[in-house]
């Protein structure tokens, strides 16, 4: 089945130690999104790629970066994780940047900060 | 700017009872409307969407929702709850105008199903 895959499912890192989360998709979708979801809250969009075009949300901290080396893969880099960055990180895709098309989500990576 | 209101954070029903999860939106132009479900430690899964056409939309797992423009609502219902329906439910909207698929989510509602 075509899907969105996030690795790892659980990630533990130390305060201030860089960490990278990965997302891959077999849907061949043009758009890839990264969301941060804290406990009992709605997902919060961090940024998205339309093909290679990067779109950052205005309130996304500079600590968060992203890379998309090809259509299938997208990475979320947290340069210096703080305790407040502990959350579930969700990757999603959609075929085009068209608002009537639903997004397809991976199962997420739960990040813990020691 | 658009927004989504999901009143209450928790709904509890008995197995076999009607499920009603409320969603109201605020937008100058009626947006596209979505319901997603999230099971523990999983991503979001699309239940159903309304973009155009018939205002009563049927989704997966026996859920349906009705778009009511006059009430700016898109409430989610299921006639008979099953234990497996216990999850977090998010209503979301995206702007109908402009080429931008950004979703605005409600705060979510946790559904519990009692045996």
């Amino acid at each position: 089945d075509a899907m969105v895959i996030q690795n790892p499912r659980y990630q533990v890192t130390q305060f201030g130690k860089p960490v990278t989360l990965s997302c891959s998709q077999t849907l061949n979708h043009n758009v890839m999104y990264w969301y941060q979801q804290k406990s009992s809250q709605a997902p919060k969009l961090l940024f998205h790629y339309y093909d290679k075009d990067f779109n950052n949300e205005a309130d996304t901290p500079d600590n968060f970066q992203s890379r998309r080396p090809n259509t299938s893969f997208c990475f979320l880099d947290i340069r210096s994780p703080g305790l407040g960055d502990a959350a579930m990180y969700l990757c999603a895709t959609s075929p085009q940047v068209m608002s009537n098309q639903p997004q397809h989500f991976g199962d997420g990576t739960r990040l813990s900060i020691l | 700017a658009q927004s989504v209101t999901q009143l209450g954070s928790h709904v509890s029903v008995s197995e076999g009872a009607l499920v009603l999860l409320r969603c109201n939106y605020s937008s100058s132009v009626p947006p596209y409307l979505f319901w997603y479900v999230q099971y523990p430690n999983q991503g979001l899964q699309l239940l159903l969407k309304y973009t155009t056409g018939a205002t009563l939309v049927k989704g997966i797992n026996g859920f349906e929702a009705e778009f009511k423009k006059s009430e700016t609502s898109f409430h989610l219902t299921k006639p008979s709850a099953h234990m497996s329906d216990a999850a977090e439910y998010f209503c979301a909207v995206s702007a109908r105008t402009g080429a931008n698929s950004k979703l605005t989510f409600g705060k979510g509602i946790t559904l519990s199903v009692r045996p």
Side-chain angles (χ1 to χ4, degrees):
Chain A
D1 286 343
M3 55 178 57
V4 181
I5 302 166
Q6 292 188 243
N7 284 306
R9 293 295 314 279
Y10 300 91
Q11 176 74 56
V12 181
T13 191
Q14 292 179 333
F15 181 94
K17 184 174 181 180
V19 64
T20 295
L21 309 182
S22 74
C23 176
S24 64
Q25 54 129 342
T26 61
L27 297 162
N28 203 33
H29 284 174
N30 282 323
V31 191
M32 296 187 77
Y33 309 81
W34 278 105
Y35 289 87
Q36 179 192 64
Q37 185 181 26
K38 296 190 175 180
S39 182
S40 302
Q41 295 184 23
K44 177 180 180 296
L45 182 65
L46 295 174
F47 24 61
H48 75 275
Y49 273 96
Y50 175 55
D51 196 11
K52 295 182 179 180
D53 182 24
F54 178 70
N55 298 271
N56 199 31
E57 292 300 296
D59 58 353
T60 298
D62 293 340
N63 199 26
F64 291 86
Q65 304 287 321
S66 186
R67 297 169 284 136
R68 188 179 186 186
N70 53 53
T71 300
S72 300
F73 285 88
C74 195
F75 300 98
L76 171 61
D77 301 308
I78 308 177
R79 293 191 298 185
S80 182
L83 297 179
D85 297 328
M88 173 79 91
Y89 290 88
L90 296 168
C91 175
T93 72
S94 65
Q96 298 290 340
V97 185
M98 296 292 291
S99 56
N100 62 345
Q101 296 178 341
Q103 295 180 16
H104 300 255
F105 286 80
D107 281 340
T109 294
R110 184 167 296 283
L111 178 67
S112 299
I113 313 296
L114 298 179
Chain B
Q2 56 196 15
S3 65
V4 179
T5 301
Q6 294 184 250
L7 287 178
S9 59
H10 186 232
V11 170
S12 180
V13 301
S14 298
E15 192 172 21
L18 172 71
V19 175
L20 170 61
L21 304 180
R22 299 179 186 274
C23 173
N24 289 88
Y25 67 87
S26 174
S27 176
S28 56
V29 176
Y32 298 119
L33 297 149
F34 305 85
W35 274 100
Y36 286 86
V37 61
Q38 185 176 32
Y39 298 101
N41 293 313
Q42 293 187 22
L44 279 69
Q45 180 182 5
L46 180 71
L47 276 176
L48 48 77
K49 66 174 182 176
Y50 173 75
T51 57
T52 188
T55 56
L56 180 63
V57 181
K58 295 187 184 298
I60 62 171
N61 301 340
F63 284 93
E64 62 183 36
E66 185 171 12
F67 167 60
K68 292 187 176 180
K69 183 178 177 181
S70 61
E71 298 178 8
T72 61
S73 69
F74 191 55
H75 302 330
L76 182 71
T77 60
K78 182 174 180 177
S80 177
H82 192 271
M83 297 296 290
S84 61
D85 295 326
E88 186 88 7
Y89 290 80
F90 291 96
C91 182
V93 303
S94 63
R96 190 175 287 267
T97 55
N100 189 332
S101 61
K102 288 203 300 185
L103 287 172
T104 300
F105 287 93
K107 293 171 59 177
I109 297 175
T110 300
L111 175 66
S112 301
V113 182
R114 303 184 301 270

